[in-house]
Amino acid sequence: MSSASAKVDGEKPADKAAAAPDGRPVVVQVVDVSKKYKRGRLSVTALDGVTLTIARGEIIGIIGPSGSGKTTLLNVIGGLDRPTHGKVVVNGVDLGGLDDGRLSEYRLKTIGFVFQFYNLISTLNALENVEVPMGLAGLSKEERANHASELLGTVGLSLRTKHMPAELSGGEQQRVAVARALSNDPALILGDEPTGDLDSKSAKALMDLIWTLRKEKKVTFILVTHDPLVVARCDRVYSVRDGKVVREFFPKSEAAKRLSDEERLAMDTLY
């Protein structure tokens, strides 16, 4: 199964194929996206006219203070929520053209999710946890077992396939979660504070793994984070505040050294 060939039944194609300035295909286009929520009689704006473009194989960081709209942005890209206004195109599919059933299929076939607290099923071992999305996609038991075993080898857990989550360290559990996110060969993996519950050694190991997956599988990653270690390993970073993208910077560039105090506080520190 290939992420490039995965299709969502009934998908609405984007108006035209997009490419980044360096010629790589664009995986994510967010165009003038806003999201408002109702809280009683109040209307709360979580996103306010966000536009961004992400190419295949990029590792993108999203930073900002609590309540700035980071997770909401991740959710609309992941099809977990719908924008109030604007357009989200992922892997050539305009999410606005998908009904709820097709949106669920999109999440299954195109997106992998990695969360701060792993979200592994405690009654299933590592191999079985990785198999779950493949079962939902209709793969046979043999196909699931073979692919899950291969993925656990990819993340360095060949000797932990039969271990239960409680028998694994935090770093190992997060590696299982990454293997699970890869199980249906997604074009895009979304991480919401993926190193937030890890020590610095495990966080570095996870980012090393993400870099390897980007190089070998051309997977695109979008990581919401407060972790300076993660930010420093991203290709580009978007700073979000009050529902708006207020800055785009390259962590190793001079521009990164001119972050505002608020941006630095949001990550603790970049350097």
Side-chain angles (χ1 to χ4, degrees):
M1 192 179 343
S2 168
S3 61
S5 61
K7 296 289 184 182
V8 178
D9 291 342
E11 68 185 27
K12 179 181 178 182
D15 294 334
K16 61 180 180 178
D22 62 5
R24 284 183 296 173
V26 167
V27 174
V28 178
Q29 290 176 286
V30 176
V31 182
D32 196 25
V33 162
S34 297
K35 177 63 182 179
K36 294 184 179 181
Y37 295 100
K38 287 288 187 181
R39 291 183 181 171
R41 297 182 178 179
L42 296 177
S43 177
V44 178
T45 300
L47 295 175
D48 187 6
V50 172
T51 294
L52 53 84
T53 301
I54 298 170
R56 183 183 181 196
E58 283 197 285
I59 301 173
I60 299 297
I62 306 290
I63 66 169
S66 179
S68 61
K70 305 185 301 298
T71 297
T72 302
L73 177 58
L74 214 62
N75 287 346
V76 298
I77 294 172
L80 294 171
D81 207 348
R82 293 182 183 272
T84 306
H85 173 80
K87 181 164 72 172
V88 179
V89 178
V90 179
N91 216 28
V93 177
D94 184 346
L95 302 193
L98 303 181
D99 60 23
D100 289 346
R102 290 166 182 156
L103 199 60
S104 178
E105 186 181 0
Y106 154 81
R107 291 193 297 267
L108 180 64
K109 292 184 176 181
T110 306
I111 304 294
F113 295 93
V114 179
F115 303 98
Q116 178 177 353
F117 298 112
Y118 327 130
N119 288 3
L120 301 181
I121 300 172
S122 63
T123 55
L124 301 181
N125 63 34
L127 189 77
E128 292 165 338
N129 265 283
V130 177
E131 288 182 7
V132 169
M134 290 183 278
L136 296 173
L139 273 69
S140 70
K141 184 176 181 179
E142 183 178 3
E143 288 175 314
R144 296 197 305 266
N146 289 340
H147 193 39
S149 181
E150 176 187 347
L151 288 170
L152 286 170
T154 297
V155 301
L157 293 177
S158 295
L159 302 179
R160 296 285 192 271
T161 60
K162 300 301 182 182
H163 284 59
M164 306 300 285
E167 299 172 319
L168 300 171
S169 69
E172 289 172 334
Q173 289 186 63
Q174 195 61 298
R175 283 171 173 259
V176 174
V178 171
R180 180 184 59 191
L182 289 166
S183 61
N184 285 331
D185 297 322
L188 175 65
I189 290 183
L190 305 178
D192 196 352
E193 299 286 0
T195 64
D197 200 43
L198 301 180
D199 59 41
S200 59
K201 181 179 179 181
S202 296
K204 181 183 182 301
L206 179 63
M207 290 307 299
D208 288 343
L209 173 62
I210 286 172
W211 267 66
T212 298
L213 293 171
R214 179 264 288 276
K215 180 179 179 180
E216 295 182 354
K217 294 181 177 291
K218 307 302 181 188
V219 180
T220 304
F221 290 85
I222 304 178
L223 309 174
V224 165
T225 188
H226 286 91
D227 188 340
L229 184 150
V230 174
V231 171
R233 299 291 297 277
C234 289
D235 298 311
R236 292 187 292 129
V237 178
Y238 290 102
S239 177
V240 179
R241 187 186 307 129
D242 297 328
K244 298 177 181 290
V245 172
V246 296
R247 187 192 297 258
E248 175 193 2
F249 66 90
F250 299 83
K252 294 180 174 59
S253 70
E254 285 298 314
K257 298 176 183 178
R258 297 193 294 272
L259 296 176
S260 68
D261 290 341
E262 186 174 356
E263 287 167 328
R264 290 180 183 278
L265 183 61
M267 298 181 299
D268 297 328
T269 179
L270 179 58
Y271 293 104

